[in-house]
Structure formats: structure tokens, C-alpha cells
Amino acid sequence: MGAQLRVYKRRIKSVSATKKITKAMEMIAASRIVKAQRQVAASTPYASELTRAVTAVATGSNTRHPLTTEVEQPVRAAVLLVTSDRGLAGGYSSNAIKAADQLTERLRAEGKEVVHYIVGRKGVGYYGFRERPVAASWTGFTDSPTYADAKKVADPLIEAVLADTAEGGVDELYIVFTEFVSMMTQTPVDKRLLPLTLEKTEDEAEAAKDRILPLFEFEPSDEAVLDALMPRYVESRVYNALLQAAASEHAARRRAMKSATDNAEDLIKSLTRLANAARQADITQEISEIVGGASALADATAGSDR
């Protein structure tokens, strides 16, 4: 039984060390969520206003432009998938990858060829292990993205949209990322960035009926204005998606590490009970041996006295 007790003590020590690590990672993730939330809150109004401005320009222009013009028979679509560089975040990356796979199946069912762009080592590793072609990939900044990172990602996407499909260009651009809803809820979503979808709520559509639409004048031309707006639009949407994904990653990691810490505490309690039971069994066995030895010695002494 002594050997069994040593095994329990060794396991308790090992689990306690793991608990310290998961607790520290939980606290680090919790501290980073606050910064990520602030960045999301700061970038979302800019991205929304820029989208509204682009929408206004698009509705006032008759020029055929990749930013606003629907292709009659699109043949190729680009999908940007945002995952994480590090693990220990529960199902964060796997859920985003699953959403991208569902989007890919839907686009292929529509007869479109899909070109993948990947952000994050988890997505790159997933596609690399399955030998799936990837047009471009980026790693090293998923937990703290900057606008420069978003521009680095957006540039080849814009080039693909502007290029002819015969030369490897695409007709549509989608992005798959994890949207930060709350500390407990992060939802993988897919959104189409290009061509721009002019979405209106019922209230906005009703209000537009009685409103006189403005007449825009473009200088030097409407096409030049749209050319200038498209990079800003794509960059802002990609940047906001990267920030949303970063906040979601930290929240998912915090939740996963808290669960791991709680499980470690439960395991330590269970092992402690087993260790106490083993120690009690050792003590009981020692007492029994002492009592048995004393009884045998007493019997032997009594026999010699006779």
C-alpha cells in the first residue's frame, strides 16, 4: 500500500502543477479580452460608416465596378478563413473551419470554384494535413492584429477581385470568422464582402420610399472614387473581422482554461481522497501487525513461564 500512496502523491503533485499553468493562462486570456473588446468597439463604427458611405456611392453610380457589380455567372469565389495561431481554446478554430467547409460546399454546389486564403496556424495546419490547396496564408498575429496586418491580408484579396478570372481572379469574396457576441457566446459566421450587398432593414426601406435620394457628382470620376474606396472598404472589414476573431479567441481560451482548472481541482480532490484511504489502510495494517506481534509475543512469554 505504501507504493500506491506514493503514486497518488506523485499524481497530485503533477495535477497541481498543471492547475497552476491553466489558472495563469485563464488570467492572461481574461486580461487580454478587455483590450480586444475595446479594439472591436473602436473599429466597428468606422467599418459600419465606411460601408454606409460606399453603399451611398454605389447607389449613386451607374459604373460597372467589382465593388458593386454582380457577375451574371460567377465561376470563382475566394474564401478568407480566420483561425488562431495557438491552441488551448476549445473548439474555437475547429468551429470556424467547419463553417468554412460548409460555405465551400454551398459555393461548389452553385457551380463555383473556391480559392482559399487562410489566417492562423490552425487553419494552415488543417489544410496542409489534408493537402488542400491554399492561395495564400498568414500567421503570427491572430491574438493581437493590427491594421497593417489587415492590409497585408487584404491586398492579395483585392488583387484577386480586380484580376480577370482567366488569369486566376475571382468574382466574389467571402470571409469566415468568429463573431464576438459576449464573454460566453462566440459564433462562427460567413459574410460576403464583394460584390457589396446593399442590405436594408424594413424601417430603412420604408423610410427610403418617402425620401428624395441625393444626386452625386464624382470627381475626377465615379470609377476613380470607387477604386479609391474599395481598398479602404476591404481593409476595414478584414480588420474588424480579425479583431472580432481575436476577442473570440481570448474568450474561448479563458473558458477552456477555466474548465481545465476546475477539472484539475476535482481530480485533486478525488486523488486526495484515494490517498487518504490508502494512508488509512497503511495505518490500519501497521496497527494490526503491531497488535498481532504483541499478541504472539504475549502467548510465547506465557508458554515459557509454564
Side-chain angles (χ1 to χ4, degrees):
M1 294 299 293
Q4 188 67 29
L5 181 60
R6 287 194 295 273
V7 170
Y8 288 139
K9 287 183 176 180
R10 193 158 50 242
R11 290 193 61 190
I12 290 173
K13 184 177 180 181
S14 176
V15 175
S16 298
T18 303
K19 176 188 170 184
K20 290 180 181 178
I21 296 173
T22 57
K23 185 64 176 178
M25 294 185 67
E26 175 190 349
M27 295 176 66
I28 292 172
S31 65
R32 290 179 175 176
I33 291 175
V34 178
K35 180 181 178 181
Q37 283 181 295
R38 290 174 181 171
Q39 290 179 320
V40 171
S43 70
T44 300
Y46 173 77
S48 300
E49 287 299 325
L50 183 57
T51 301
R52 187 175 291 110
V54 173
T55 301
V57 174
T59 54
S61 172
N62 295 323
T63 301
R64 292 183 60 84
H65 192 275
L67 180 61
T68 59
T69 305
E70 292 278 355
V71 179
E72 293 182 0
Q73 293 182 343
V75 296
R76 187 178 287 110
V79 174
L80 173 63
L81 168 62
V82 181
T83 62
S84 66
D85 285 324
R86 300 186 294 125
L88 301 178
Y92 166 77
S93 291
S94 60
N95 291 336
I97 292 172
K98 187 182 299 182
D101 287 343
Q102 293 174 351
L103 173 61
T104 299
E105 292 177 3
R106 188 167 72 246
L107 293 175
R108 286 175 177 168
E110 296 173 359
K112 303 171 186 175
E113 179 185 352
V114 180
V115 182
H116 291 98
Y117 296 80
I118 311 296
V119 173
R121 291 190 177 92
K122 291 299 178 180
V124 173
Y126 178 87
Y127 277 72
F129 180 77
R130 287 158 181 78
E131 298 182 350
R132 298 181 182 178
V134 175
S137 62
W138 302 268
T139 60
F141 55 80
T142 59
D143 59 344
S144 184
T146 63
Y147 194 86
D149 297 322
K151 189 177 187 308
K152 182 169 59 177
V153 174
D155 286 345
L157 297 175
I158 296 171
E159 292 177 2
V161 172
L162 294 176
D164 190 86
T165 53
E167 299 176 355
V170 297
D171 299 316
E172 297 176 341
L173 173 59
Y174 294 82
I175 183 170
V176 179
F177 65 98
T178 305
E179 188 175 40
F180 182 84
V181 180
S182 67
M183 293 289 290
M184 298 302 297
T185 305
Q186 301 85 43
T187 308
V189 295
D190 62 83
K191 295 184 178 181
R192 194 179 78 167
L193 297 186
L194 295 175
L196 178 65
T197 303
L198 306 179
E199 297 180 352
K200 289 185 178 180
T201 62
E202 293 183 2
D203 294 339
E204 291 175 338
E206 189 67 26
K209 292 180 180 179
D210 301 326
R211 187 172 68 243
I212 299 176
L213 297 177
L215 179 62
F216 292 95
E217 292 184 2
F218 301 97
E219 291 187 6
S221 66
D222 50 357
E223 185 175 1
V225 172
L226 291 173
D227 285 340
L229 282 176
M230 188 170 75
R232 304 289 85 77
Y233 166 73
V234 176
E235 290 167 7
S236 66
R237 301 305 298 186
V238 170
Y239 182 50
N240 183 258
L242 291 177
L243 292 178
Q244 294 262 8
S248 299
E249 178 184 348
H250 294 315
R253 182 169 290 111
R254 175 186 174 276
R255 190 167 60 251
M257 291 300 97
K258 185 180 187 307
S259 177
T261 302
D262 294 342
N263 291 338
E265 290 179 353
D266 294 340
L267 184 56
I268 290 173
K269 290 179 182 179
S270 177
L271 291 173
T272 301
R273 285 194 293 267
L274 293 174
N276 290 338
R279 186 184 298 109
Q280 186 63 42
D282 284 347
I283 295 173
T284 302
Q285 183 177 354
E286 290 177 3
I287 293 174
S288 299
E289 291 175 353
I290 292 171
V291 172
S295 178
L297 182 61
D299 291 343
T301 302
S304 61
D305 290 342
R306 292 175 188 171

